[in-house]
């Protein structure tokens, strides 16, 4: 099944303005193929996969490129702390909170491309449980 339109919209915008942005880093929960494809397409400097068991697969997929690789929560947070003018937070729910806060801590603008913030607000302020799901990708961009 192809990704939902909302999952591809940020990439469509970047494709239309390649001369205006440099992609610093991209992340994915477990989709190594999609992450490697986008990292190559946009010339990312760093790619991180949330699932540590998939790191060797990511390294293989990016072999022959100069793209650095990482895995696990620390790598996902690291990508948000890398130098970039703004970070697109596309990870829903609590999983996206630490990387978004890492970007905010260093003074980056954070663009929200998910429904996680309203869900978390509902959960913590109103005591209800929001649906959570991890996203496909997030990344840092230089304008």
């Amino acid at each position: 099944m192809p990704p939902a339109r909302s999952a591809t919209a940020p990439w469509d915008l970047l494709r239309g303005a390649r001369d205006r942005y440099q992609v610093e880093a991209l992340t994915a929960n477990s989709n190594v193929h999609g992450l490697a494809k986008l990292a190559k397409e946009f010339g990312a400097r760093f790619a991180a996969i949330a699932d540590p068991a998939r790191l060797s697969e990511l390294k293989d997929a990016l072999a022959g490129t100069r793209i650095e690789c990482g895995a696990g929560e620390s790598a996902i947070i690291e990508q948000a702390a890398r130098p970039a003018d703004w970070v697109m937070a596309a990870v829903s729910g609590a999983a996206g909170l630490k990387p978004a806060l890492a970007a905010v801590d260093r003074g980056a603008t954070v663009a929200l491309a998910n429904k996680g913030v309203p869900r978390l607000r509902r959960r913590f302020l109103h005591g209800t449980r929001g649906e959570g799901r991890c996203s496909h990708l997030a990344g840092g961009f230089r304008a």
Side-chain angles (χ1 to χ4, degrees):
M1 175 186 308
R5 177 75 185 127
S6 61
T8 62
W11 311 117
D12 293 343
L13 291 171
L14 287 173
R15 284 181 187 106
R18 289 183 187 271
D19 58 327
R20 295 186 57 201
Y21 299 100
Q22 164 64 48
V23 176
E24 176 66 25
L26 295 173
T27 69
N29 185 39
S30 60
N31 185 350
V32 170
H33 175 73
L35 174 60
K37 181 179 175 186
L38 286 171
K40 290 176 188 176
E41 177 183 351
F42 289 104
R45 295 181 179 143
F46 182 77
I49 194 82
D51 182 352
R54 316 260 341 239
L55 179 59
S56 62
E57 187 180 346
L58 178 61
K59 287 181 178 180
D60 290 344
L62 295 174
T65 71
R66 302 184 85 190
I67 302 169
E68 297 174 60
C69 299
E73 182 183 45
S74 62
I76 301 297
I77 294 168
E78 177 189 336
Q79 70 80 29
R82 292 175 71 94
D85 297 322
W86 58 277
V87 172
M88 182 177 298
V91 177
S92 294
L97 193 57
K98 286 181 184 178
L101 289 175
V104 168
D105 282 347
R106 67 171 181 74
T109 297
V110 177
L112 301 176
N114 63 47
K115 296 180 225 167
V117 172
R119 286 180 181 155
L120 285 173
R121 181 185 54 121
R122 238 185 353 259
R123 183 174 184 181
F124 291 115
L125 296 180
H126 303 292
T128 61
R129 186 175 178 97
E131 295 287 320
R133 87 184 206 307
C134 278
S135 83
H136 298 333
L137 305 159
F141 307 91
R142 290 178 185 258

